[in-house]
Amino acid sequence: MRKKVRNFIEEYHMVEEGDCVLAAVSGGADSICLLLLLLELRRELAIQLCAVHVEHGIRGDESLRDAEFVEKFCIHAQIPYKICCCDAGRYAREEKMSLEEGARELRYQYFRQTAEEFGADKIAVAHNQNDCAETVIFHLIRGTGLRGMMGIWPVRGQIIRPLLCATRQEIEEYLAKHHQKYCTDQTNEELLFTRNKIRHQILPVLSEINAQAVSHINQASATVSEAMELIDELTDHAVKSYICQKDGGYFISEKLLCEKPVILRQALHKVLAQAAGKNRDISRIHVSQLQELFHLQSGRWIVFPEDVEARRIYQGILLRKREKQDCDMGREWRLSEKGSVFIDPYHCDVQTRLLDKIPQNEEIPQNRYTKWMDYDKIKGTMRMRTPQEQDFLIINAQGSRKKLNRYFADEKVPGYRRKQMLLLADDTHILWVVGYRISEDVKVTEHTRRILEIRVNGGTAHE
């Protein structure tokens, strides 16, 4: 085991001579095994050691006992250490995360802080092959691309994982051989958590089918990692060739569609994450929606997480974070029967004019963004605005009403677009869903005396 771990550390260049390595020690079998091995290897690797333990404030007395166990171990081993206490439950609630996510994020925050205090160059954590296999299965169940199948990386920045070459069984055998005690976290046995179900129910069945199941999953994960290196290189080339900064955001040329599908998707995911400022909330469905936008007419838009707006424009897509005023979709813009109003959040101009009669040689416009209405049938003040709860349309000559939400559903208007739709309204009576239909009761007929012409030009509300 000692030789195997040393070779793994050298293969991935995890440490250099003179490095100070901070070992993250929970007190469980994996982390105690990690610390023991690093203690054995520190002279050979010419490294210094220190340790950190994070007490999450979740498991009461049991958690405090684990912290005490780690403290005594470090004192006996004569290595510098720090015990960090926190309230992971409260943090998870405040950040709207699951308890597992919140605890992990807090844990790594303390790892980085402690590394800075000790002047540590690397942070060693105790993930093993079983953890990697569980992660791959977890990602596959939830839905993932190739990157999710890479599992856990041996090295990522300052983080190193020397035990990724070993299975949990090898770790337990090593500890038994050295008569080394360790702590057991009872929550790891509870099947309420998805990862515990994978650990205690799924992986054992896979290992019954093939004793090397865990190793084979790790080998497949490593192969995917190698393939991703090439894909990342090709993706970077595509990004440089077809994506550039423009108008405070990113312009994505439609020429990107000529790339292989995997490169196309990776490039779109990368630019979406860059525009959002984070990768976490960007999913496969967002990438698919962005890809589909290429096939829609100019002026269509989608809003993604972190208020990133993708707008179809000539020869491509403009991707940018919306400014505060762009996100203010609750405003109203009053219209008169003659004039022009610029609607800033939509970057469009609304023009109106009043006609005493149908102009000679002209027919009622069929354009989606130019409409004629019977002006004398409009009773209140005309406003351009976004949808409200009680909005309705008149849908036939008998005066039947249809709630706007029902109309959106019938027309298959995507949910993410409904709150952003631009409407011409007279109170809760919708005269025109811009880009779609007008209300039946304001249509021009042979009895119409005066015609209101309204035209929407340019911007995200226009084709």
Side-chain angles (χ1 to χ4, degrees), residues 20-26 31 34-35 38 48-53 70 74 79-80 82 111 120 122-125:
C20 177
V21 177
L22 175 68
V25 186
S26 67
S31 64
L34 171 68
L35 190 50
L38 290 176
Q48 295 177 315
L49 269 181
C50 51
V52 60
H53 172 86
V70 173
C74 292
I79 59 172
K82 183 176 181 181
F111 292 170
K122 304 291 170 55
I123 301 170
V125 294

Side-chain angles (χ1 to χ4, degrees), residues 124-159:
V125 294
H127 292 114
N128 57 57
Q129 285 197 350
N130 288 62
D131 294 318
C132 183
E134 290 163 14
T135 298
V136 171
I137 293 170
F138 182 73
H139 288 164
L140 285 170
I141 291 169
R142 294 182 67 186
T144 186
L146 287 172
R147 202 169 297 281
M149 295 173 66
M150 293 168 65
I152 301 173
W153 293 22
V155 178
R156 175 165 277 183
Q158 195 180 14
I159 305 294

Side-chain angles (χ1 to χ4, degrees), residues 279-332:
N279 187 57
R280 178 181 169 188
D281 296 326
I282 306 302
S283 68
R284 191 182 184 93
I285 189 167
H286 297 132
V287 172
S288 297
Q289 288 171 347
L290 184 58
Q291 187 175 344
E292 289 168 7
L293 189 58
F294 279 107
H295 304 292
L296 301 180
Q297 68 265 38
S298 181
R300 291 297 187 94
W301 82 96
I302 302 173
V303 178
F304 294 107
E306 301 301 315
D307 273 325
V308 172
E309 176 191 274
R311 178 156 44 102
R312 183 69 164 101
I313 61 175
Y314 179 62
Q315 293 187 331
I317 290 171
L318 182 62
L319 196 67
R320 68 181 183 91
K321 269 210 171 189
R322 296 190 298 169
E323 299 174 1
K324 185 176 180 181
Q325 63 265 30
D326 294 337
C327 303
D328 181 13
M329 295 299 182
R331 293 162 56 191
E332 294 184 343

Side-chain angles (χ1 to χ4, degrees), residues 389-408:
E389 181 65 29
Q390 301 302 319
D391 286 345
F392 67 91
L393 284 160
I394 302 298
I395 58 170
N396 56 36
Q398 288 73 43
S400 301
R401 295 186 176 191
K402 178 178 283 191
K403 293 293 289 289
L404 185 62
N405 282 337
R406 182 70 261 165
Y407 173 74
F408 284 155

Side-chain angles (χ1 to χ4, degrees), residues 127-303:
H127 292 114
N128 57 57
Q129 285 197 350
N130 288 62
D131 294 318
C132 183
E134 290 163 14
T135 298
V136 171
I137 293 170
F138 182 73
H139 288 164
L140 285 170
I141 291 169
R142 294 182 67 186
T144 186
L146 287 172
R147 202 169 297 281
M149 295 173 66
M150 293 168 65
I152 301 173
W153 293 22
V155 178
R156 175 165 277 183
Q158 195 180 14
I159 305 294
I160 61 173
R161 298 181 170 92
L163 292 187
L164 267 184
C165 60
T167 64
R168 188 164 286 125
Q169 182 179 346
E170 289 176 306
I171 289 168
E172 290 173 356
E173 288 173 355
Y174 174 85
L175 292 172
K177 181 179 177 181
H178 286 74
H179 307 289
Q180 176 61 54
K181 295 180 180 179
Y182 54 87
C183 303
T184 302
D185 183 349
Q186 295 302 319
T187 62
N188 287 335
E189 307 300 317
E190 296 174 4
L191 297 181
L192 294 173
F193 299 105
T194 303
R195 281 188 176 273
N196 288 352
K197 289 181 180 179
I198 294 171
R199 178 175 302 170
H200 298 299
Q201 295 181 330
I202 296 175
L203 273 183
V205 172
L206 294 179
S207 296
E208 284 180 17
I209 296 170
N210 188 319
Q212 299 300 310
V214 169
S215 294
H216 290 167
I217 293 172
N218 276 261
Q219 289 166 12
S221 176
T223 301
V224 172
S225 297
E226 291 172 359
M228 279 304 302
E229 286 186 26
L230 174 60
I231 290 171
D232 283 341
E233 286 181 17
L234 295 173
T235 298
D236 288 342
H237 182 266
V239 168
K240 289 176 183 176
S241 300
Y242 304 118
I243 300 174
C244 64
Q245 292 188 337
K246 178 180 178 180
D247 296 338
Y250 299 90
F251 171 72
I252 311 170
S253 171
E254 57 193 21
K255 293 179 181 178
L256 181 63
L257 296 174
C258 297
E259 291 288 337
K260 296 289 186 184
V262 65
I263 304 301
L264 169 63
R265 289 193 296 270
Q266 292 294 328
L268 293 179
H269 189 283
K270 185 170 186 175
V271 71
L272 261 176
Q274 286 175 342
K278 58 166 63 173
N279 187 57
R280 178 181 169 188
D281 296 326
I282 306 302
S283 68
R284 191 182 184 93
I285 189 167
H286 297 132
V287 172
S288 297
Q289 288 171 347
L290 184 58
Q291 187 175 344
E292 289 168 7
L293 189 58
F294 279 107
H295 304 292
L296 301 180
Q297 68 265 38
S298 181
R300 291 297 187 94
W301 82 96
I302 302 173
V303 178

